[in-house]
Amino acid sequence: MEAFALAIKKAFRYSFYLLAGLAILMVVLPEHKVFLQSLLLGVGAGILNVMVLAGKVWTVGLMADDPAVRPKGTGTFFRFMVAGLAAYLTFLFPHLFTLSGVLLGLFFIQGLIYLIVFRNFK
C-alpha cells in the first residue's frame, strides 16, 4: 500500500502542476481563454474522479489487511455524475466552455494518472 500511496501522491502532484500550467496559459494566451477554461474544468473534474477512485482502491487494499473492512461500491455513480455535471456546465454556459476542451481534460487526467501509477509499480 505504501507504493500505491507514493504513486498516487506523485500523480496528484503532476496533476496540480498541470492545473497551474493551464491557469498560467489562460493568463498568457487570452485569445484561447474559452478552450483553456474548458480544459481547467475537465482537469478539475478528472482530479475529483481520480480522488474518489483512489479512495476506493485504498479501501480495497485495507480489506486485504483487515477482512472486516468492506468497500461500499466503486464510486462509479458519483464519478459519472461529476463528468455529467462538467458536460452539463458546457451546455449551460456555451460562452465559457467548449465540450471538446472538457472531454480532453477529463480523459487526459485519467491517462496521466494511469501512466504515472503503472509506471511507478515497475
Side-chain angles (χ1 to χ4, degrees), residues 42-97:
V43 167
I47 288 173
L48 185 61
N49 282 342
V50 169
M51 283 180 177
V52 170
L53 185 60
K56 295 297 181 175
V57 169
W58 184 264
T59 305
V60 169
L62 291 178
M63 189 178 77
D65 293 336
D66 182 15
V69 175
R70 299 303 258 176
K72 303 208 178 10
T74 58
T76 303
F77 182 72
F78 180 76
R79 290 185 286 133
F80 278 143
M81 292 302 292
V82 168
L85 177 66
Y88 178 69
L89 285 174
T90 62
F91 290 115
L92 196 60
F93 302 109
H95 58 283
L96 294 176
F97 305 112

Side-chain angles (χ1 to χ4, degrees), residues 1-16 50-51 54 57-58 109-122:
M1 290 304 293
E2 290 157 14
F4 177 73
L6 289 174
I8 287 297
K9 189 176 184 181
K10 181 189 286 186
F12 280 129
R13 185 180 328 128
Y14 288 136
S15 299
F16 288 119
V50 169
M51 283 180 177
V57 169
W58 184 264
I109 203 67
Q110 295 292 327
L112 177 73
I113 297 292
Y114 291 142
L115 180 72
I116 291 171
V117 170
F118 288 138
R119 187 172 180 185
N120 220 20
F121 281 124
K122 282 186 177 182

